Amino acid sequence: QVHLVESGGGVVQPGRSLRLSCSASGFTFSNYAMHWVRQAPGKGLDWVAYIWHDGSNEDYADSVKGRFTISKDNSKNTLYLQLNSLRAEDTAVYYCARNGGYCSGDSCYGGYFDYWGQGTLVTVSS
Amino acid sequence: DIVMTQSPDSLAVSLGERATINCKSSQNLLYSSNNKNFLAWYQQKPGQPPKLLIYWASTRESGVPDRFSGSGSGTDFTLTISSLQTEDVAAYYCQQYYGTPRTFGQGTKVEIK
């Protein structure tokens, strides 16, 4: 079955960096686009970033654009999120999630999150 | 950005009774190319990640009990739990994937009355 396991979270000072990883199993990782979604303590869900199945295209929320970088190593079945210039408001549980959808002919449709990891907590504090 | 607004923020329903959660989008989510609404619903229990319940506004994810149903089109959508069970106590979120950024509603907490 599909399994996503995040790691790399922790406590970090403002302005510092962190790299999160998401190890995937139970499906053909190279066939799927992937997302990062975060949830601040006691708050709702916020989409962070998205990467195409082959890593050729990325998209980011405005709040993290220029500071965070999503990447994907299909040979290692691993998704990454590089977090730079961290701020207190980046404190959250970070989830990786698989992109859900379908393709018909040359067109693909989707963007919901069909499987989620358990999350890794990032705390930005001095 | 497409703004998603859920109502109510919380509701308490007796066991076995119906629970209804509404989700309104600031833009149309019906895509003409495939005639589908780009709207999903998730359930999140305390200390757990979200779980996909419904996608394309009304397609139930495999393994989700049939007491959960999604309806609506365009800008107005509803998640219905036909007969509330103890294990349904959770927060529920709608999410649009018509545009980027993908956006969520603020969530609705469902409790037992």
Side-chain angles (χ1 to χ4, degrees):
Chain A
Q1 71 277 24
V2 174
H3 205 43
L4 300 170
V5 179
E6 301 92 339
S7 60
V11 180
V12 61
Q13 293 179 328
R16 302 299 290 266
S17 298
L18 209 57
R19 189 175 83 155
L20 308 182
S21 300
C22 169
S23 178
S25 60
F27 65 102
T28 304
F29 185 67
S30 59
N31 287 351
Y32 285 85
M34 297 291 295
H35 301 263
W36 288 98
V37 179
R38 68 183 179 183
Q39 186 170 35
K43 301 298 185 182
L45 299 165
D46 282 322
W47 170 79
V48 174
Y50 162 77
I51 188 166
W52 281 20
H53 67 287
D54 59 0
S56 62
N57 198 17
E58 305 151 29
D59 193 17
Y60 298 92
D62 285 346
S63 59
V64 307
K65 202 170 290 184
R67 299 189 300 122
F68 291 8
T69 303
I70 188 172
S71 60
K72 193 174 187 274
D73 188 335
N74 285 335
S75 69
K76 295 182 178 179
N77 287 351
T78 303
L79 177 72
Y80 301 100
L81 186 67
Q82 178 69 40
L83 293 69
N84 295 334
S85 303
L86 281 161
R87 306 167 180 168
E89 54 265 34
D90 296 319
T91 294
V93 174
Y94 285 73
Y95 297 102
C96 64
R98 194 179 80 167
N99 187 70
Y102 72 96
C103 294
S104 177
D106 292 335
S107 299
C108 291
Y109 306 94
Y112 56 91
F113 314 111
D114 61 358
Y115 289 93
W116 299 65
Q118 288 295 315
T120 187
L121 176 61
V122 173
T123 303
V124 183
S125 174
S126 54
Chain B
D1 296 3
I2 298 175
V3 177
M4 306 299 292
T5 304
Q6 291 180 228
S7 62
D9 290 335
S10 65
L11 76 160
V13 176
S14 299
L15 284 173
E17 295 300 306
R18 180 185 299 261
T20 301
I21 301 169
N22 299 303
C23 175
K24 189 171 185 68
S25 169
S26 64
Q27 296 181 30
N28 173 51
L29 302 183
L30 177 61
Y31 191 46
S32 57
S33 293
N34 65 351
N35 198 36
K36 291 182 182 294
N37 287 280
F38 283 51
L39 189 283
W41 289 96
Y42 302 88
Q43 176 193 64
Q44 187 178 31
K45 297 180 180 180
Q48 295 185 20
K51 172 189 173 184
L52 177 66
L53 295 177
I54 303 283
Y55 55 98
W56 302 123
S58 60
T59 302
R60 196 180 304 113
E61 174 72 330
S62 176
V64 173
D66 60 7
R67 63 180 179 273
F68 291 92
S69 64
S71 62
S73 185
T75 61
D76 292 281
F77 301 90
T78 300
L79 175 70
T80 301
I81 310 172
S82 61
S83 175
L84 192 74
Q85 304 300 305
T86 305
E87 59 266 32
D88 301 335
V89 170
Y92 293 84
Y93 296 89
C94 61
Q95 176 239 336
Q96 68 79 20
Y97 46 102
Y98 185 97
T100 187
R102 285 75 169 168
T103 48
F104 293 87
Q106 78 278 17
T108 296
K109 289 189 177 179
V110 174
E111 301 172 333
I112 303 294
K113 185 186 293 184

Coordinates of all heavy atoms in Angstrom, one line a residue, chain A residues 11-97:
Chain A
V11 N 13.7 22.0 15.7 CA 13.7 23.4 16.1 C 14.8 24.2 15.4 O 16.0 23.7 15.5 CB 13.8 23.5 17.6 CG1 13.8 25.0 18.1 CG2 12.7 22.7 18.3
V12 N 14.5 25.3 14.8 CA 15.5 26.1 14.1 C 15.3 27.5 14.4 O 14.2 28.0 14.6 CB 15.5 25.7 12.6 CG1 14.1 26.1 12.0 CG2 16.6 26.4 11.9
Q13 N 16.4 28.3 14.4 CA 16.3 29.7 14.7 C 15.9 30.5 13.4 O 16.1 30.0 12.3 CB 17.7 30.3 15.1 CG 18.2 29.8 16.4 CD 19.6 30.3 16.8 OE1 20.4 30.5 15.9 NE2 19.8 30.5 18.1
P14 N 15.2 31.6 13.6 CA 14.8 32.4 12.5 C 16.0 32.8 11.6 O 17.1 33.0 12.1 CB 14.3 33.7 13.1 CG 13.8 33.3 14.5 CD 14.8 32.2 14.9
G15 N 15.8 32.7 10.3 CA 16.8 33.0 9.3 C 17.6 31.8 8.9 O 18.4 31.8 7.9
R16 N 17.5 30.7 9.6 CA 18.3 29.5 9.3 C 17.6 28.6 8.3 O 16.5 28.9 7.8 CB 18.6 28.7 10.6 CG 19.3 29.5 11.7 CD 20.7 30.0 11.2 NE 21.6 28.9 11.0 CZ 22.5 28.5 12.0 NH1 22.5 29.1 13.2 NH2 23.3 27.5 11.8
S17 N 18.2 27.5 8.0 CA 17.7 26.6 6.9 C 17.4 25.2 7.5 O 17.9 24.8 8.5 CB 18.6 26.5 5.8 OG 18.8 27.7 5.2
L18 N 16.6 24.4 6.7 CA 16.3 23.1 7.1 C 15.9 22.3 5.8 O 15.4 23.0 4.9 CB 15.1 23.1 8.1 CG 14.9 22.0 9.1 CD1 16.1 21.9 10.0 CD2 13.6 22.3 9.9
R19 N 16.1 21.0 5.7 CA 15.7 20.3 4.6 C 14.8 19.1 5.1 O 15.2 18.3 5.9 CB 16.9 19.7 3.8 CG 16.4 19.1 2.5 CD 17.5 18.6 1.5 NE 18.0 17.3 1.9 CZ 18.6 16.5 1.0 NH1 18.7 16.9 -0.2 NH2 19.0 15.3 1.4
L20 N 13.6 19.1 4.5 CA 12.7 18.0 4.8 C 12.8 16.9 3.7 O 13.0 17.2 2.6 CB 11.3 18.5 4.9 CG 11.0 19.7 5.9 CD1 9.5 20.1 5.9 CD2 11.5 19.4 7.3
S21 N 12.5 15.7 4.1 CA 12.5 14.6 3.2 C 11.2 13.8 3.3 O 10.6 13.8 4.4 CB 13.7 13.6 3.4 OG 14.9 14.2 3.3
C22 N 10.8 13.2 2.3 CA 9.6 12.4 2.3 C 9.9 11.1 1.5 O 10.1 11.2 0.3 CB 8.4 13.1 1.7 SG 6.9 12.1 1.3
S23 N 10.0 10.0 2.2 CA 10.3 8.7 1.6 C 9.0 8.0 1.1 O 8.1 7.9 2.0 CB 11.1 7.8 2.5 OG 11.3 6.6 1.9
A24 N 8.9 7.6 -0.1 CA 7.7 7.1 -0.7 C 7.9 5.6 -1.0 O 8.9 5.1 -1.4 CB 7.3 7.8 -1.9
S25 N 6.8 4.8 -0.8 CA 6.8 3.4 -1.2 C 5.4 3.0 -1.5 O 4.4 3.6 -1.1 CB 7.4 2.6 0.0 OG 6.6 2.7 1.1
G26 N 5.3 1.8 -2.2 CA 4.0 1.2 -2.4 C 3.3 1.7 -3.7 O 2.2 1.3 -4.0
F27 N 4.0 2.6 -4.5 CA 3.5 3.0 -5.8 C 4.7 3.4 -6.6 O 5.9 3.6 -6.1 CB 2.5 4.2 -5.6 CG 3.1 5.4 -5.1 CD1 3.4 6.5 -5.9 CD2 3.3 5.6 -3.7 CE1 3.9 7.7 -5.3 CE2 3.8 6.7 -3.2 CZ 4.1 7.8 -4.0
T28 N 4.5 3.6 -7.9 CA 5.6 4.1 -8.8 C 5.8 5.6 -8.7 O 5.1 6.4 -9.3 CB 5.2 3.7 -10.3 OG1 5.0 2.3 -10.3 CG2 6.4 4.0 -11.2
F29 N 6.7 5.9 -7.9 CA 6.9 7.3 -7.5 C 7.2 8.2 -8.7 O 6.7 9.4 -8.7 CB 8.1 7.4 -6.5 CG 8.4 8.7 -5.9 CD1 7.6 9.3 -5.0 CD2 9.6 9.4 -6.3 CE1 7.8 10.6 -4.5 CE2 9.9 10.6 -5.7 CZ 9.0 11.2 -4.8
S30 N 7.9 7.7 -9.7 CA 8.2 8.5 -10.8 C 7.0 8.9 -11.7 O 7.1 9.8 -12.6 CB 9.3 7.8 -11.7 OG 8.8 6.6 -12.1
N31 N 5.9 8.2 -11.5 CA 4.7 8.5 -12.3 C 3.8 9.6 -11.6 O 2.8 10.0 -12.2 CB 3.8 7.3 -12.4 CG 4.4 6.3 -13.4 OD1 5.4 6.6 -14.1 ND2 3.9 5.1 -13.4
Y32 N 4.1 10.1 -10.4 CA 3.2 10.9 -9.7 C 3.8 12.3 -9.4 O 5.0 12.4 -8.9 CB 2.8 10.3 -8.4 CG 1.8 9.2 -8.6 CD1 2.2 7.9 -8.9 CD2 0.4 9.5 -8.5 CE1 1.3 6.9 -9.1 CE2 -0.5 8.5 -8.7 CZ -0.1 7.2 -9.0 OH -1.0 6.2 -9.2
A33 N 3.0 13.3 -9.6 CA 3.4 14.6 -9.0 C 3.2 14.6 -7.5 O 2.4 13.7 -7.0 CB 2.5 15.7 -9.6
M34 N 3.9 15.5 -6.8 CA 3.8 15.5 -5.3 C 3.7 16.9 -4.8 O 4.0 17.9 -5.5 CB 5.1 14.8 -4.7 CG 5.3 13.4 -5.1 SD 4.1 12.2 -4.4 CE 4.5 12.4 -2.6
H35 N 3.2 17.0 -3.6 CA 2.9 18.3 -2.9 C 3.5 18.3 -1.5 O 3.7 17.2 -0.9 CB 1.4 18.5 -2.8 CG 0.6 18.6 -4.0 ND1 0.3 19.8 -4.7 CD2 0.1 17.6 -4.7 CE1 -0.4 19.5 -5.8 NE2 -0.6 18.2 -5.8
W36 N 3.7 19.5 -1.0 CA 3.9 19.7 0.4 C 2.8 20.6 0.9 O 2.4 21.6 0.2 CB 5.2 20.4 0.7 CG 6.4 19.5 0.6 CD1 7.3 19.4 -0.5 CD2 7.0 18.6 1.5 NE1 8.2 18.5 -0.3 CE2 8.1 18.0 1.0 CE3 6.6 18.2 2.9 CZ2 8.9 17.0 1.7 CZ3 7.3 17.3 3.5 CH2 8.5 16.7 2.9
V37 N 2.2 20.2 2.0 CA 1.1 21.0 2.6 C 1.5 21.2 4.1 O 2.0 20.2 4.7 CB -0.3 20.2 2.5 CG1 -1.4 21.0 3.2 CG2 -0.6 20.0 1.1
R38 N 1.2 22.3 4.7 CA 1.6 22.5 6.1 C 0.4 23.0 6.9 O -0.7 23.4 6.4 CB 2.7 23.6 6.2 CG 2.3 25.0 5.8 CD 3.5 25.9 5.9 NE 3.2 27.3 5.6 CZ 4.1 28.3 5.5 NH1 5.4 28.1 5.8 NH2 3.7 29.5 5.2
Q39 N 0.5 22.8 8.2 CA -0.6 23.1 9.2 C 0.0 23.7 10.4 O 0.7 23.0 11.2 CB -1.4 21.9 9.5 CG -2.6 22.1 10.3 CD -3.5 20.9 10.4 OE1 -3.0 19.8 10.4 NE2 -4.8 21.1 10.5
A40 N -0.1 25.0 10.6 CA 0.3 25.6 11.8 C -0.4 25.1 13.0 O -1.6 24.6 12.9 CB 0.2 27.2 11.7
P41 N 0.2 25.1 14.2 CA -0.5 24.5 15.4 C -1.9 25.1 15.6 O -2.1 26.3 15.7 CB 0.5 24.9 16.5 CG 1.8 25.1 15.9 CD 1.5 25.6 14.5
G42 N -2.9 24.2 15.7 CA -4.2 24.6 15.9 C -4.9 25.3 14.8 O -6.0 25.8 14.9
K43 N -4.3 25.3 13.6 CA -4.8 26.1 12.5 C -5.2 25.1 11.3 O -5.2 23.9 11.5 CB -3.8 27.1 11.9 CG -3.3 28.1 13.0 CD -4.5 29.0 13.4 CE -4.0 30.0 14.4 NZ -5.1 30.9 14.9
G44 N -5.6 25.7 10.2 CA -6.1 24.9 9.1 C -4.9 24.5 8.2 O -3.7 24.7 8.5
L45 N -5.3 24.0 7.0 CA -4.3 23.5 6.0 C -3.9 24.5 5.0 O -4.8 25.3 4.5 CB -4.9 22.3 5.3 CG -5.3 21.1 6.3 CD1 -6.2 20.1 5.6 CD2 -4.1 20.4 6.8
D46 N -2.6 24.6 4.7 CA -2.1 25.5 3.7 C -1.2 24.7 2.7 O -0.2 24.1 3.1 CB -1.2 26.6 4.3 CG -2.1 27.7 5.0 OD1 -3.1 28.0 4.4 OD2 -1.7 28.2 6.0
W47 N -1.5 24.8 1.4 CA -0.7 24.2 0.4 C 0.6 25.0 0.3 O 0.6 26.3 0.3 CB -1.5 24.2 -0.9 CG -0.6 23.8 -2.1 CD1 -0.2 22.6 -2.5 CD2 0.0 24.7 -3.0 NE1 0.5 22.6 -3.6 CE2 0.7 23.9 -3.9 CE3 0.0 26.1 -3.2 CZ2 1.4 24.5 -5.0 CZ3 0.7 26.6 -4.2 CH2 1.4 25.8 -5.1
V48 N 1.7 24.3 0.1 CA 3.0 25.0 0.1 C 3.7 24.9 -1.3 O 4.1 26.0 -1.8 CB 4.0 24.4 1.2 CG1 5.4 24.9 1.0 CG2 3.4 24.6 2.6
A49 N 3.8 23.7 -1.8 CA 4.5 23.6 -3.1 C 4.1 22.3 -3.8 O 3.5 21.4 -3.2 CB 6.0 23.5 -2.8
Y50 N 4.4 22.2 -5.1 CA 4.0 21.2 -6.0 C 5.1 20.9 -7.0 O 5.8 21.9 -7.4 CB 2.7 21.6 -6.7 CG 2.3 20.9 -7.9 CD1 1.8 19.6 -7.9 CD2 2.5 21.5 -9.2 CE1 1.4 18.9 -9.0 CE2 2.1 20.8 -10.3 CZ 1.5 19.6 -10.3 OH 1.1 18.9 -11.4
I51 N 5.3 19.7 -7.3 CA 6.3 19.3 -8.4 C 5.8 18.3 -9.3 O 5.1 17.3 -8.9 CB 7.7 18.9 -7.7 CG1 8.8 18.8 -8.7 CG2 7.5 17.6 -6.9 CD1 10.2 18.7 -8.1
W52 N 6.1 18.4 -10.6 CA 5.6 17.5 -11.6 C 6.3 16.1 -11.3 O 7.3 16.0 -10.6 CB 6.0 18.0 -13.0 CG 5.0 19.0 -13.5 CD1 4.2 19.8 -12.8 CD2 4.9 19.4 -14.9 NE1 3.5 20.6 -13.6 CE2 3.9 20.4 -14.9 CE3 5.5 19.0 -16.0 CZ2 3.6 21.0 -16.1 CZ3 5.1 19.6 -17.2 CH2 4.2 20.6 -17.3
H53 N 5.7 15.1 -11.9 CA 6.2 13.7 -11.7 C 7.6 13.5 -12.1 O 8.4 12.8 -11.4 CB 5.3 12.8 -12.5 CG 5.5 12.9 -14.0 ND1 5.0 13.9 -14.7 CD2 6.2 12.1 -14.9 CE1 5.3 13.8 -16.0 NE2 6.0 12.7 -16.2
D54 N 8.1 14.3 -13.1 CA 9.5 14.1 -13.5 C 10.4 15.2 -13.0 O 11.5 15.3 -13.4 CB 9.5 14.1 -15.1 CG 9.0 15.3 -15.7 OD1 8.5 16.3 -15.0 OD2 9.0 15.4 -16.9
G55 N 9.8 16.1 -12.1 CA 10.6 17.2 -11.5 C 10.9 18.3 -12.5 O 11.6 19.2 -12.1
S56 N 10.2 18.4 -13.6 CA 10.5 19.4 -14.6 C 9.8 20.7 -14.3 O 10.1 21.7 -15.0 CB 10.1 18.9 -16.0 OG 8.7 18.6 -16.1
N57 N 8.8 20.7 -13.5 CA 8.1 22.0 -13.2 C 7.7 22.0 -11.7 O 7.5 21.0 -11.1 CB 6.8 22.1 -14.1 CG 6.3 23.5 -14.2 OD1 7.0 24.4 -13.8 ND2 5.1 23.6 -14.6
E58 N 7.7 23.2 -11.2 CA 7.4 23.4 -9.8 C 6.4 24.6 -9.6 O 6.3 25.5 -10.5 CB 8.6 23.7 -9.0 CG 9.8 22.8 -9.1 CD 11.1 23.4 -9.0 OE1 11.2 24.5 -8.2 OE2 12.1 22.9 -9.5
D59 N 5.7 24.7 -8.5 CA 4.9 25.8 -8.2 C 4.9 26.0 -6.7 O 5.0 25.0 -5.9 CB 3.5 25.5 -8.7 CG 2.6 26.7 -8.7 OD1 3.1 27.9 -8.6 OD2 1.3 26.6 -8.8
Y60 N 4.7 27.2 -6.2 CA 4.9 27.6 -4.8 C 3.8 28.5 -4.4 O 3.3 29.4 -5.2 CB 6.2 28.2 -4.5 CG 7.4 27.3 -4.9 CD1 8.0 27.4 -6.1 CD2 7.9 26.5 -3.9 CE1 9.1 26.6 -6.4 CE2 9.0 25.6 -4.2 CZ 9.6 25.7 -5.4 OH 10.6 24.9 -5.7
A61 N 3.4 28.4 -3.1 CA 2.6 29.5 -2.5 C 3.4 30.8 -2.4 O 4.6 30.7 -2.3 CB 2.1 29.0 -1.1
D62 N 2.7 31.9 -2.6 CA 3.4 33.2 -2.5 C 4.2 33.4 -1.2 O 5.2 34.0 -1.2 CB 2.4 34.3 -2.7 CG 1.9 34.5 -4.1 OD1 2.5 33.9 -5.0 OD2 0.9 35.2 -4.4
S63 N 3.7 32.8 -0.2 CA 4.3 33.0 1.2 C 5.6 32.4 1.3 O 6.4 32.7 2.2 CB 3.3 32.5 2.3 OG 3.1 31.1 2.0
V64 N 6.0 31.4 0.4 CA 7.2 30.7 0.5 C 8.1 30.9 -0.8 O 9.3 30.4 -0.8 CB 7.1 29.2 0.8 CG1 6.2 29.0 2.0 CG2 6.5 28.5 -0.4
K65 N 7.5 31.5 -1.8 CA 8.3 31.6 -3.1 C 9.6 32.4 -2.8 O 9.6 33.4 -2.2 CB 7.4 32.4 -4.1 CG 7.7 32.1 -5.5 CD 6.6 32.7 -6.4 CE 5.4 31.9 -6.4 NZ 4.3 32.4 -7.3
G66 N 10.6 31.8 -3.4 CA 12.0 32.4 -3.2 C 12.7 32.0 -2.0 O 13.9 32.3 -1.8
R67 N 12.0 31.3 -1.1 CA 12.7 30.8 0.2 C 12.7 29.3 0.2 O 13.6 28.7 0.8 CB 11.9 31.4 1.4 CG 11.9 32.9 1.5 CD 11.3 33.3 2.9 NE 10.0 32.9 3.1 CZ 9.6 32.1 4.1 NH1 10.4 31.7 5.0 NH2 8.3 31.8 4.3
F68 N 11.6 28.7 -0.3 CA 11.5 27.2 -0.2 C 11.8 26.6 -1.6 O 11.4 27.3 -2.6 CB 10.2 26.8 0.2 CG 9.8 27.1 1.7 CD1 10.7 27.8 2.5 CD2 8.7 26.6 2.3 CE1 10.4 28.1 3.8 CE2 8.4 26.8 3.6 CZ 9.2 27.6 4.4
T69 N 12.3 25.4 -1.7 CA 12.5 24.8 -3.0 C 12.1 23.3 -2.8 O 12.6 22.6 -1.9 CB 14.0 24.8 -3.4 OG1 14.5 26.2 -3.5 CG2 14.2 24.1 -4.8
I70 N 11.2 22.9 -3.7 CA 10.8 21.5 -3.8 C 11.6 20.8 -4.8 O 12.0 21.3 -5.9 CB 9.3 21.4 -4.1 CG1 8.8 20.0 -3.9 CG2 8.9 22.0 -5.4 CD1 7.2 19.9 -4.0
S71 N 12.0 19.5 -4.5 CA 12.7 18.7 -5.5 C 12.3 17.2 -5.3 O 11.7 16.9 -4.3 CB 14.2 18.9 -5.4 OG 14.6 18.5 -4.1
K72 N 12.7 16.4 -6.3 CA 12.2 15.0 -6.3 C 13.3 14.2 -6.9 O 13.8 14.5 -8.0 CB 11.0 15.0 -7.2 CG 10.1 13.8 -7.2 CD 8.9 14.1 -8.0 CE 7.8 13.0 -7.9 NZ 8.1 11.9 -8.8
D73 N 13.7 13.1 -6.2 CA 14.7 12.2 -6.7 C 14.0 10.9 -7.0 O 13.8 10.1 -6.0 CB 15.8 12.0 -5.7 CG 17.0 11.2 -6.2 OD1 16.8 10.4 -7.2 OD2 18.1 11.3 -5.7
N74 N 13.7 10.6 -8.2 CA 12.9 9.4 -8.6 C 13.7 8.2 -8.4 O 13.2 7.1 -8.2 CB 12.3 9.6 -10.0 CG 11.2 10.5 -10.1 OD1 10.5 10.8 -9.1 ND2 10.9 11.1 -11.2
S75 N 15.0 8.3 -8.5 CA 15.9 7.1 -8.3 C 15.9 6.6 -6.8 O 16.2 5.5 -6.5 CB 17.3 7.4 -8.7 OG 18.0 8.3 -7.9
K76 N 15.6 7.6 -5.9 CA 15.6 7.3 -4.5 C 14.1 7.3 -3.9 O 14.0 7.1 -2.7 CB 16.4 8.3 -3.7 CG 17.9 8.3 -4.0 CD 18.7 9.2 -3.2 CE 20.2 9.2 -3.5 NZ 20.9 10.1 -2.7
N77 N 13.1 7.5 -4.7 CA 11.7 7.5 -4.3 C 11.6 8.5 -3.1 O 10.9 8.2 -2.1 CB 11.3 6.1 -3.8 CG 11.0 5.2 -5.0 OD1 11.1 5.6 -6.2 ND2 10.8 3.9 -4.7
T78 N 12.2 9.7 -3.3 CA 12.2 10.6 -2.2 C 11.9 12.0 -2.7 O 12.4 12.5 -3.7 CB 13.5 10.7 -1.5 OG1 13.8 9.4 -1.0 CG2 13.5 11.6 -0.3
L79 N 11.0 12.7 -1.9 CA 10.6 14.1 -2.2 C 11.3 15.0 -1.1 O 11.5 14.5 0.0 CB 9.1 14.2 -2.0 CG 8.5 15.6 -2.2 CD1 8.5 16.1 -3.6 CD2 7.1 15.6 -1.6
Y80 N 11.7 16.2 -1.5 CA 12.4 17.1 -0.6 C 11.7 18.4 -0.6 O 11.0 18.8 -1.5 CB 13.9 17.3 -1.0 CG 14.7 16.0 -1.1 CD1 14.9 15.4 -2.3 CD2 15.2 15.4 0.0 CE1 15.6 14.2 -2.4 CE2 16.0 14.2 -0.1 CZ 16.2 13.6 -1.3 OH 16.9 12.5 -1.4
L81 N 12.0 19.1 0.5 CA 11.6 20.5 0.6 C 12.8 21.2 1.4 O 13.0 21.0 2.5 CB 10.3 20.7 1.4 CG 9.8 22.2 1.4 CD1 9.4 22.6 -0.1 CD2 8.6 22.4 2.3
Q82 N 13.4 22.1 0.7 CA 14.5 22.9 1.3 C 13.9 24.2 1.8 O 13.3 25.0 1.0 CB 15.6 23.2 0.2 CG 16.7 24.1 0.7 CD 17.6 23.4 1.8 OE1 17.9 22.3 1.6 NE2 18.0 24.2 2.8
L83 N 14.0 24.5 3.1 CA 13.4 25.6 3.7 C 14.6 26.6 4.1 O 15.4 26.3 4.9 CB 12.7 25.3 4.9 CG 11.4 24.4 4.8 CD1 11.6 23.0 4.4 CD2 10.6 24.4 6.1
N84 N 14.6 27.7 3.4 CA 15.6 28.8 3.7 C 15.0 30.0 4.3 O 13.8 30.2 4.2 CB 16.4 29.1 2.5 CG 17.2 28.0 1.9 OD1 17.6 27.1 2.6 ND2 17.4 28.0 0.6
S85 N 15.8 30.8 5.0 CA 15.3 32.1 5.5 C 14.0 31.9 6.3 O 13.1 32.6 6.1 CB 15.1 33.1 4.4 OG 16.3 33.3 3.7
L86 N 14.1 30.9 7.2 CA 12.9 30.6 8.0 C 12.4 31.7 8.9 O 13.2 32.5 9.5 CB 13.1 29.3 8.8 CG 13.0 28.0 7.9 CD1 13.7 26.9 8.6 CD2 11.6 27.7 7.6
R87 N 11.1 31.8 9.0 CA 10.4 32.8 9.9 C 9.6 32.1 10.9 O 9.2 30.9 10.7 CB 9.5 33.7 9.0 CG 10.2 34.3 7.8 CD 9.2 34.9 6.8 NE 9.9 35.5 5.7 CZ 9.2 35.9 4.6 NH1 7.9 35.7 4.5 NH2 9.9 36.5 3.6
A88 N 9.2 32.8 11.9 CA 8.3 32.2 13.0 C 7.0 31.7 12.4 O 6.5 30.7 12.8 CB 8.1 33.3 14.0
E89 N 6.5 32.4 11.4 CA 5.2 32.0 10.8 C 5.3 30.8 9.9 O 4.3 30.3 9.4 CB 4.6 33.2 10.0 CG 5.5 33.7 8.9 CD 6.3 35.0 9.4 OE1 6.7 35.0 10.6 OE2 6.5 35.9 8.5
D90 N 6.5 30.2 9.7 CA 6.7 29.0 9.0 C 6.6 27.8 10.0 O 6.6 26.6 9.5 CB 8.1 28.9 8.4 CG 8.3 29.9 7.3 OD1 7.3 30.1 6.5 OD2 9.4 30.5 7.2
T91 N 6.4 28.0 11.3 CA 6.2 27.0 12.3 C 4.9 26.2 11.9 O 3.8 26.8 11.9 CB 6.1 27.5 13.7 OG1 7.4 28.1 14.0 CG2 5.7 26.5 14.7
A92 N 5.1 24.9 11.7 CA 3.9 24.1 11.3 C 4.3 22.6 11.2 O 5.5 22.3 11.2 CB 3.4 24.5 9.9
V93 N 3.4 21.8 11.1 CA 3.6 20.4 10.7 C 3.6 20.4 9.2 O 2.6 20.9 8.5 CB 2.5 19.4 11.2 CG1 2.7 18.0 10.6 CG2 2.5 19.4 12.7
Y94 N 4.6 19.8 8.6 CA 4.7 19.7 7.1 C 4.4 18.3 6.7 O 5.0 17.4 7.1 CB 6.1 20.2 6.7 CG 6.3 21.6 6.8 CD1 6.5 22.3 8.0 CD2 6.4 22.4 5.6 CE1 6.7 23.6 8.1 CE2 6.5 23.8 5.7 CZ 6.7 24.4 6.9 OH 6.9 25.8 7.0
Y95 N 3.4 18.2 5.8 CA 3.0 17.0 5.2 C 3.4 16.9 3.8 O 3.2 17.8 3.0 CB 1.5 16.8 5.3 CG 0.8 16.8 6.6 CD1 0.2 18.0 7.1 CD2 0.8 15.7 7.4 CE1 -0.5 18.0 8.3 CE2 0.1 15.7 8.6 CZ -0.5 16.8 9.1 OH -1.1 16.8 10.3
C96 N 3.9 15.7 3.4 CA 4.0 15.4 1.9 C 2.7 14.7 1.5 O 2.1 14.0 2.3 CB 5.2 14.7 1.5 SG 5.3 13.0 2.2
A97 N 2.3 14.9 0.3 CA 1.0 14.3 -0.2 C 1.2 14.0 -1.7 O 1.8 14.8 -2.4 CB -0.1 15.3 0.0

